[in-house]
Amino acid sequence: MKILVTGGLGFIGSHTVVELQNEGFEVIVVDNLSNTSLTVLDGIQNITGKIPAFEKLDLREKEKVQDFFKRHHDISGVIHFAASKAVGESVENPLLYYENNISALIYVLQELQQKPEANFIFSSSCTVYGQAETMPITENASIQTAMSPYGNTKQIGEEIITDTAKVTNINAILLRYFNPIGAHPSTEIGELPIGVPQNLVPFITQTGFGLRKELSVYGDDYPTQDGTAVRDYIHVVDLAKAHVIALQRLLNKKNTNKVETFNLGTGTGSSVLEVIHSFEKVSGKKLPYKIVGRREGDITSAYANTDKANDILGWKAQSTLEEAMASAWKWEQKIRK
């Protein structure tokens, strides 16, 4: 079966391509290379022994999307990662996020709705919950007002998919990730942020390597155990495997609703300081950091209740925070050689 992976050379996308190919799927990747590199294809090939088909394509270009689907009419499923993903950047440049994250989604769905049957996995986010009222967060938690344009694009995206699925032959699964970190154990692929990292772990590993002078910890006055923000950090390989399981659920017609939603996390919250200490433990290095003011768009705490994914998908995160941090550090050391 041919599976389209949009944004398939990105961090989560590339790890998912590996897992798809390991399961025997034929994968075609589209990516505009705005936040990644073609070298990722080599890493995928080195792990799986097979290079996926690849087209450089910006999904904001509607006519090119139409042309792509005309040429690839035999696609059995789509996993849609292609999106901008930094909370801070979205606050500073909201129109970029609305154009990129919403237009691309619409153009892909417009092509899928013309098919007699379509299976769609959406890369969503725990940001749709805003600051949830209770922890851990279940899929039934109310969708709060988004704390950032990025979070809002994920809320709007979910609504667009739900409305479209009601009146078309599209079946969809919305996967709400918590905080993906780490790298493939082979160190062939990992997170490749272009410019200054917007996420905590690559900033930690770059600081540990000496590329950054020190890490800024945004706020130590949150109502948490040590005053720093708490998140649910999940190893990217665990996350990637969940996409394959979700896709197989749709392909095997096991879904009980046109649109299903699952949280993907570990079920454990870790504070920023705990993540720093985990890095120090696995690397043997002392990490220079300073406490600065809170960052707009950040919430106090978010970690998942994963019972639904565990029970219905039969999926559970396997790796610990330390294992994920160790893989991220190994990857950082490799790419700086």
Side-chain angles (χ1 to χ4, degrees), residues 148-276:
S148 67
Y150 165 73
N152 202 25
T153 65
K154 292 301 181 184
Q155 289 184 3
I156 295 166
E158 289 195 1
E159 290 166 4
I160 290 169
I161 294 162
T162 302
D163 290 342
T164 305
K166 280 177 192 165
V167 293
T168 66
N169 287 317
I170 296 172
N171 286 280
I173 292 180
L174 314 175
L175 297 178
R176 292 174 178 164
Y177 317 154
F178 281 68
N179 290 62
I181 61 169
H184 196 270
S186 65
T187 66
E188 289 289 349
I189 56 173
E191 195 162 6
L192 268 177
I194 290 172
V196 179
Q198 300 279 341
N199 296 332
L200 176 63
V201 171
F203 211 113
I204 284 176
T205 58
Q206 287 190 11
T207 305
F209 200 80
L211 288 181
R212 310 274 163 204
K213 186 175 148 224
E214 62 185 356
L215 174 75
S216 293
V217 175
Y218 295 102
D220 65 349
D221 57 350
Y222 285 102
T224 60
Q225 193 174 342
D226 59 24
T228 62
V230 167
R231 299 289 184 270
D232 186 338
Y233 295 93
I234 175 172
H235 197 299
V236 65
V237 173
D238 285 334
L239 189 65
K241 288 178 176 172
H243 289 75
V244 181
I245 294 167
L247 178 68
Q248 288 167 329
R249 180 174 173 81
L250 293 182
L251 292 171
N252 295 327
K253 300 186 172 18
K254 295 281 175 67
N255 51 311
T256 52
N257 292 300
K258 289 276 288 174
V259 179
E260 297 181 323
T261 306
F262 296 95
N263 285 338
L264 297 181
T266 65
T268 301
S270 302
S271 72
V272 175
L273 288 181
E274 284 175 324
V275 176
I276 289 170

Side-chain angles (χ1 to χ4, degrees), residues 278-297:
S278 174
F279 170 78
E280 290 178 333
K281 184 174 177 184
V282 300
S283 69
K285 287 179 169 289
K286 194 82 183 142
L287 195 79
Y289 68 88
K290 65 177 178 185
I291 308 294
V292 298
R294 292 188 190 186
R295 186 170 54 176
E296 190 179 349

